[in-house]
Amino acid sequence: MINKSLFLTYLYLLIYILLSSGVILYNKWVLSPKYFNFPFPITLTMIHMGFSGAVAFLLVRVLKVVAPVKMTFEIYATCVIPISAFFASSLWFGNTAYLHISVAFIQMLKALMPVATLIMAVLCGTDKLRWDVFLNMLLVSVGVVISSYGEIHFNVVGTLYQCTGIFAEALRLVLTQVLLQKKGLTLNPITSLYYIAPCSFAFLFVPWYFLEKTGMEVSQIQFNFWIFFSNTVCALALNFSIFLVIGRTGAVTIRVGGVLKDWILIALSTVIFPESAITGLNIIGYAIALCGVVMYNYIKVKDVKASQLPPDSIPERMTKDWRMEKKSSNPFAPDDNIDDDTSSGAGKVSSISDMNVDEEMPLMASSRLSHIGRSQLSSRDA
């Protein structure tokens, strides 16, 4: 018989892959002038943030599913506001890229996320540059350049939008760890939405007012409630599916699932959107970049495991290895068996972003932050 826990793990992973792919394709369909023709990415993002903030308020203040954290004005001003600003920027630029380049090419460009995060971490002083990691990042960059060269419908504007969104997201990840962790805050996905979504909505209002408000007034586009409602619900469900997956699997499983999702998404996009054809050079370049990402993940996992395994007896070491791969079946409970990439301070910020963080996944770093904080406290106590 199939183990129930294992079945639920892979079921959640499948739901995550389907929701992640579905939200990306849905956003492309809504924004593309060739299909639903709603070319207002800031407006779409504001709808997502407004709905997410409202749901979070309902869960926190009305239903009291989770309790709010002790948020002071100083913490809100120095932590939540800058994180929300870069979060809003990453969503804005990432969604705008759908207007100019294909879904397949966007997924290939997202392979640059580890490179961007490493650069930001080094600049912020939270990580050090090593030659082995540098060579892997160079391999990723070369692969992305080859993939870009092979893109049939290469668009400079769309590529710049996507790359800017990637670096904005990378800086948000660094700030999430540097700022919130120093304050000792632990935010789960619900409390993250409660504090960050309204602030991100406010930041998006400024560019919306100057860039899209006038265009929407003269546009002949009719607002379809069910299209936008279903799109927003899917985006919100994706956030919670990520939380469930993180609670039940190890980091290696999640990364493999992410890679599988990217390949599935690239294949589906070429079927659903015939204009987004891919070439052999696209595939070769992306494969090279993916090799660099896999090698980088291997190095980070190996480093963290080495830092966690003192000279113990062989049985004790085997027990620790087993515990590092096993996760609690309850994602909402504190878990001593932490992911191998977040269970030590040695992983630093780059371990937060070992997964490809899409603009459709705003809570990835925040939901993992509580695990990082607990694991670092436990390592200090030891």
Side-chain angles (χ1 to χ4, degrees), residues 45-355:
T45 307
M46 290 178 66
I47 293 173
H48 288 177
M49 290 297 97
F51 182 78
S52 298
V55 171
F57 181 86
L58 178 66
L59 294 175
V60 173
R61 291 298 183 182
V62 180
L63 300 179
K64 300 186 184 301
V65 175
V66 295
V69 301
K70 294 181 179 180
M71 181 68 66
T72 65
F73 176 79
E74 186 266 340
I75 293 177
Y76 192 87
T78 59
C79 296
V80 175
I81 289 180
I83 290 172
S84 300
F86 285 105
F87 176 41
S89 299
S90 67
L91 293 171
W92 168 19
F93 293 123
N95 283 333
T96 304
Y98 288 119
L99 298 176
H100 305 280
I101 54 181
S102 67
V103 172
F105 187 48
I106 286 175
Q107 294 306 118
M108 295 175 188
L109 289 175
K110 284 179 183 178
L112 287 172
M113 178 57 73
V115 180
T117 307
L118 179 64
I119 293 174
M120 293 302 176
V122 172
L123 291 177
C124 293
T126 62
D127 207 349
K128 294 181 179 179
L129 187 61
R130 292 166 35 186
W131 281 108
D132 53 352
V133 175
F134 174 77
L135 291 176
N136 286 331
M137 297 301 96
L138 185 62
L139 184 63
V140 172
S141 302
V142 169
V144 172
V145 169
I146 294 174
S147 180
S148 302
Y149 184 78
E151 176 66 15
I152 298 176
H153 305 291
F154 181 81
N155 184 283
V156 176
V157 175
T159 302
L160 289 177
Y161 269 119
Q162 182 60 38
C163 291
T164 304
I166 288 173
F167 276 90
E169 176 65 13
L171 186 54
R172 181 188 74 89
L173 291 172
V174 175
L175 289 177
T176 298
Q177 184 180 20
V178 172
L179 297 179
L180 288 185
Q181 193 169 313
K182 281 186 176 181
K183 302 296 183 180
L185 287 180
T186 57
L187 300 179
N188 61 46
I190 298 176
T191 52
S192 295
L193 282 175
Y194 179 74
Y195 292 108
I196 293 177
C199 190
S200 297
F201 182 93
F203 273 108
L204 289 167
F205 180 82
V206 177
W208 173 83
Y209 184 84
F210 290 102
L211 298 177
E212 293 188 0
K213 179 177 180 294
T214 304
M216 293 185 68
E217 290 175 351
V218 300
S219 175
Q220 301 299 318
I221 298 174
Q222 295 183 353
F223 188 87
N224 188 312
F225 172 81
W226 293 110
I227 291 291
F228 290 100
F229 179 74
S230 59
N231 178 265
T232 305
V233 169
C234 288
L236 185 65
L238 172 61
N239 289 316
F240 291 109
S241 73
I242 294 167
F243 191 43
L244 290 175
V245 169
I246 289 174
R248 298 195 63 91
T249 68
V252 175
T253 304
I254 296 175
R255 291 193 193 103
V256 172
V259 172
L260 178 62
K261 183 263 296 183
D262 289 341
W263 283 109
I264 292 175
L265 189 53
I266 290 173
L268 283 176
S269 66
T270 60
V271 175
I272 298 175
F273 308 111
E275 69 276 6
S276 62
I278 58 176
T279 64
L281 205 56
N282 281 143
I283 297 176
I284 293 173
Y286 184 61
I288 293 173
L290 196 60
C291 288
V293 173
V294 171
M295 292 170 62
Y296 168 76
N297 289 336
Y298 173 77
I299 290 174
K300 300 305 292 185
V301 170
K302 186 175 66 173
D303 289 346
V304 174
K305 282 187 175 182
S307 68
Q308 287 185 324
L309 292 178
D312 294 336
S313 63
I314 297 300
E316 290 176 344
R317 182 170 299 185
M318 292 175 63
T319 302
K320 287 184 178 181
D321 285 338
W322 178 80
R323 292 190 66 188
M324 287 171 65
E325 292 297 328
K326 186 172 178 58
K327 295 291 294 180
S328 169
S329 60
N330 183 3
F332 294 93
D335 190 2
D336 292 328
N337 303 326
I338 308 301
D339 285 351
D340 50 6
D341 67 333
T342 57
S343 51
S344 171
K348 290 191 181 292
V349 70
S350 57
S351 63
I352 298 177
S353 59
D354 283 344
M355 291 179 57

Side-chain angles (χ1 to χ4, degrees), residues 177 181 186 338 341-345 348-349 351-352 365 367-380:
Q177 184 180 20
Q181 193 169 313
T186 57
I338 308 301
D341 67 333
T342 57
S343 51
S344 171
K348 290 191 181 292
V349 70
S351 63
I352 298 177
S367 61
R368 296 171 77 87
L369 188 61
S370 58
H371 291 312
I372 298 172
R374 286 197 299 269
S375 59
Q376 287 190 330
L377 289 175
S378 63
S379 65
R380 291 193 191 102

